[in-house]
Amino acid sequence: MLKLDRLFIKILQVLQTNGRISNLDLSEEVNLSPSPCLERVRKLEEAGLITQYLAEIDLDKIGANLHIMAEITLGNHLVDDFKRFEAAITDVPEVISCYKIAGPFDYTMDMICRDIAHFNQLKEKLLAAKIGIEHFRGHVVMERTKTFSGYPLESLTAPSPLDGVLKG
């Protein structure tokens, strides 16, 4: 496993919000010469810390769209039930993310549809697919009030305030 020092963290902080930055600009941003900077980026990619580079698309400029956040509860909770559901939604392009969670339901799912009719068709298709869905509750997103601006890498990699206090 790659040991992350402050330079690796700084590189990740810059890349997570600007994946198209040139190596020269990145090296200047993190105060490192270009060749070692590129080597560090390659190490981050090889170690699987950087999994992909994406472009954020303004869907409103493409056309009408409806963002739905859904709560899904399965009827049964055997390993195969979870696998069947997860395999099925992998092939549904309108499902843009899905999280298996703890709590009163099993999954939260983000969906992008053209309109409410498209959402209803998709919901009915998922319910009829016999993939174990017992309850499906959809919520229409009215407005995005905060956009992704990067993970809090410094706080995630900082020493715990309990380090040295608790004995194992």
Side-chain angles (χ1 to χ4, degrees), residues 83-139:
K83 286 181 181 179
R84 183 176 64 244
F85 172 79
E86 291 168 14
I89 62 158
T90 299
D91 296 329
V92 180
E94 292 90 347
V95 175
I96 60 170
S97 67
C98 186
Y99 299 92
K100 185 177 182 182
I101 62 170
F105 37 92
D106 299 316
Y107 293 92
T108 61
M109 198 165 63
D110 278 344
M111 304 165 65
I112 299 292
C113 300
R114 282 184 309 277
D115 51 33
I116 200 73
H118 181 204
F119 165 66
N120 283 330
Q121 290 169 352
L122 182 58
K123 177 183 171 185
E124 294 304 319
K125 181 180 172 184
L126 289 169
L127 290 170
K130 302 205 184 306
I131 56 175
I133 298 174
E134 183 173 288
H135 298 290
F136 185 113
R137 180 179 301 156
H139 306 277

Side-chain angles (χ1 to χ4, degrees), residues 7-8 10-12 14-15 18-45 50 53:
L7 282 172
F8 278 124
K10 183 67 177 166
I11 289 168
L12 287 170
V14 172
L15 288 176
N18 187 0
R20 290 186 53 131
I21 191 171
S22 71
N23 184 59
L24 182 60
D25 289 342
L26 177 60
S27 67
E28 289 174 7
E29 184 83 24
V30 300
N31 295 319
L32 191 63
S33 59
S35 184
C37 183
L38 184 58
E39 178 66 24
R40 282 176 171 263
V41 171
R42 290 192 202 288
K43 284 181 180 178
L44 289 166
E45 292 170 345
I50 298 173
Y53 296 90

Side-chain angles (χ1 to χ4, degrees), residues 132-146:
I133 298 174
E134 183 173 288
H135 298 290
F136 185 113
R137 180 179 301 156
H139 306 277
V140 175
V141 173
M142 301 297 291
E143 180 182 358
R144 182 190 241 182
T145 57
K146 181 178 180 182

Side-chain angles (χ1 to χ4, degrees), residues 153-167:
L153 298 177
E154 284 186 10
S155 66
L156 292 175
T157 58
S160 168
L162 298 177
D163 284 353
V165 175
L166 298 176
K167 305 272 185 217

